[in-house]
Amino acid sequence: MKILVTGVAGFIGFHVAKKLIDDNIEVIGIDNINDYYPMTLKFDRLKELGIQPDFIRYNNKVKSETMKSFTFLRLDITDESHLLNLFNREKFDIVIHLAAQAGVRYSLDNPKAYIKSNIEGFNNILEACRNFPVKHLVYASSSSVYGMNKEQPFSVKHKVDSPVSLYAATKKSNELMAHSYSYLYNIPTTGLRFFTVYGPWGRPDMAPMLFAKSIIEGKPIKVFNNGNLERDFTYIDDIITGITKIMSLPPCEKIPYRILNIGNSKPVKLGEFINEIEEALGEKAIKEMYPMQDGDVYSTFADVSELQQLTNYKPTIALKEGITKFIKWYTAYFN
Ligand SMILES: NC(=O)c1ccc[n+]([C@@H]2O[C@H](COP(=O)([O-])OP(=O)(O)OC[C@H]3O[C@@H](n4cnc5c(N)ncnc54)[C@H](O)[C@@H]3O)[C@@H](O)[C@H]2O)c1
């Protein structure tokens, strides 16, 4: 079996690839290694996978020095011709598509980056799967598609027509685009709505990393909406388990299309989340209160019953354990 992981130098892509390689599956990973956040972190993730940054050239295969079933290619998913060539050459069985312009807040100032990678890039992935058929395309959607929805827990049965950021709108668009390709070309697709993922090798633009950094440096942390926010924080290992379980179960309905939530199903108040980080670090945060931010939602809470039915998915890492593991990695990495 050969699997393509896009966004492999990113937080979730790195962990998925590592798990698949550990399971002796052949993985080709691509990423454009953009500078949305420090590229050093992306290169360091790749180093963990045995890829030496010095050998990376655009659209050139680099074999892992330590993991024989892994190959990396620096490639932009908006580069259609090279992407199609890659699919033509490699004949992937499964595609796990995670490359995207992530982040809600950045989308307020940089809308074009989202249209380019998340719409144009996603369309290229669909076209590649249409021209060089795969058994299953699994792609990242987001809990942000629930936007202004009030009814909780968020269910995939709910209508999601009121995104509050362009990021969310691109993710919802991906789901619609996937539906049309599943319908027209019989491409089995599963869209996974991830709920706030955290853990080792995480993203520097997200709360866990921002909070840990500021607390360690004795700087104030920004607490939005006076801390009156709730997030269904989901530990990375639970996300990876969900992805690897579902990838082998392509939808086989008449239109082979599905959307699933993947989250911890235990929303946590922001204050409690900060307390756990303080405890793990043994230091108190200096909190600066800010109003609600544009693009943000108040609360997220995943109903994962569909994923559970299909795969027996059950999140296993509670917040305290997850934060402890995250802080352990954070302090070791930044030391
Ligand atoms: N982390 C979360 O909590 C979360 C929540 C919901 C959805 N998601 C989605 O999951 C996916 C992975 O997120 P992540 O947290 O690992 O983000 P990330 O930013 O760490 O990883 C994304 C990777 O994609 C790469 N990339 C971006 N545009 C590209 C392009 N045009 N061509 C090739 N590579 C490109 C980036 O360089 C990056 O390494 C994204 O689609 C994101 O929107 C993440």
Side-chain angles (χ1 to χ4, degrees):
M1 179 156 59
K2 197 189 272 188
I3 300 188
L4 172 69
V5 177
T6 75
V8 76
F11 171 35
I12 302 176
F14 157 72
H15 283 281
V16 175
K18 187 159 186 327
K19 168 81 174 100
L20 296 173
I21 299 160
D22 287 347
D23 291 347
N24 283 322
I25 294 172
E26 186 178 356
V27 176
I28 296 197
I30 62 171
D31 201 298
N32 67 354
I33 318 181
N34 67 27
D35 62 359
Y36 165 60
Y37 59 75
M39 293 156 79
T40 44
L41 180 58
K42 298 184 182 183
F43 284 121
D44 285 345
R45 292 184 186 124
L46 290 173
K47 274 196 221 161
E48 285 286 303
L49 300 176
I51 301 296
Q52 289 313 320
D54 289 350
F55 299 144
I56 298 174
R57 306 270 180 282
Y58 190 75
N59 195 36
N60 243 347
K61 272 182 164 187
V62 186
K63 279 255 164 258
S64 167
E65 288 179 352
T66 51
M67 300 172 163
K68 66 175 189 325
S69 67
F70 181 58
T71 306
F72 175 73
L73 205 78
R74 187 172 193 169
L75 187 64
D76 198 305
I77 55 165
T78 64
D79 178 350
E80 191 182 8
S81 62
H82 283 126
L83 189 72
L84 287 174
N85 280 338
L86 176 73
F87 272 72
N88 188 14
R89 276 197 316 270
E90 303 293 345
K91 310 280 184 294
F92 298 113
D93 296 292
I94 294 175
V95 173
I96 301 179
H97 174 55
L98 302 164
Q101 180 55 59
V104 165
R105 283 154 211 164
Y106 189 73
S107 72
L108 304 179
D109 297 324
N110 299 279
K112 288 222 164 70
Y114 292 76
I115 300 301
K116 192 101 188 118
S117 289
N118 302 8
I119 302 295
E120 202 181 313
F122 188 67
N123 185 238
N124 290 342
I125 295 287
L126 290 171
E127 277 294 311
C129 294
R130 170 189 174 187
N131 285 291
F132 306 101
V134 298
K135 295 191 182 90
H136 197 184
L137 165 63
V138 178
Y139 64 94
S141 183
S142 163
S143 60
S144 65
V145 300
Y146 290 102
M148 292 170 77
N149 284 24
K150 293 276 178 290
E151 195 182 340
Q152 298 231 357
F154 291 150
S155 159
V156 291
K157 296 192 186 93
H158 297 165
K159 264 182 92 150
V160 285
D161 283 338
S162 44
V164 293
S165 67
L166 183 70
Y167 168 68
T170 63
K171 290 294 178 180
K172 164 76 183 180
S173 307
N174 287 172
E175 296 178 358
L176 298 172
M177 292 160 78
H179 186 275
S180 66
Y181 274 69
S182 294
Y183 171 74
L184 288 168
Y185 311 115
N186 207 31
I187 302 171
T189 65
T190 297
L192 295 174
R193 292 178 180 165
F194 298 135
F195 282 66
T196 320
V197 190
Y198 74 100
W201 297 99
R203 277 199 358 233
D205 61 325
M206 292 182 68
M209 204 99 136
L210 292 170
F211 289 165
K213 183 171 190 293
S214 296
I215 295 173
I216 289 170
E217 291 173 356
K219 292 183 181 154
I221 62 169
K222 289 182 177 172
V223 181
F224 292 100
N225 201 36
N226 294 314
N228 258 329
L229 296 173
E230 272 186 346
R231 288 288 178 273
D232 200 350
F233 289 104
T234 310
Y235 191 69
I236 183 71
D237 290 6
D238 287 325
I239 293 284
I240 301 309
T241 305
I243 296 175
T244 50
K245 279 187 170 184
I246 203 67
M247 73 177 197
S248 321
L249 296 170
C252 46
E253 290 79 19
K254 195 157 170 259
I255 304 172
Y257 164 89
R258 70 157 90 90
I259 299 293
L260 298 167
N261 284 337
I262 174 164
N264 198 41
S265 268
K266 279 202 184 67
V268 172
K269 292 218 177 327
L270 192 58
E272 192 187 333
F273 187 75
I274 296 168
N275 286 346
E276 291 295 352
I277 295 187
E278 289 176 328
E279 232 173 76
L281 284 171
E283 286 181 65
K284 280 279 172 207
I286 308 161
K287 295 178 194 154
E288 259 176 19
M289 297 300 171
Y290 285 82
M292 186 67 175
Q293 288 201 113
D294 283 345
D296 253 0
V297 298
Y298 289 94
S299 166
T300 63
F301 179 3
D303 173 347
V304 292
S305 45
E306 280 84 359
L307 182 62
Q308 220 152 36
Q309 267 165 23
L310 286 163
T311 65
N312 273 331
Y313 170 80
K314 210 170 185 310
T316 55
I317 312 284
L319 186 70
K320 191 177 264 314
E321 187 187 350
I323 292 288
T324 307
K325 287 176 183 227
F326 163 67
I327 293 296
K328 196 171 163 213
W329 167 80
Y330 184 93
T331 45
Y333 179 74
F334 286 100
N335 272 340

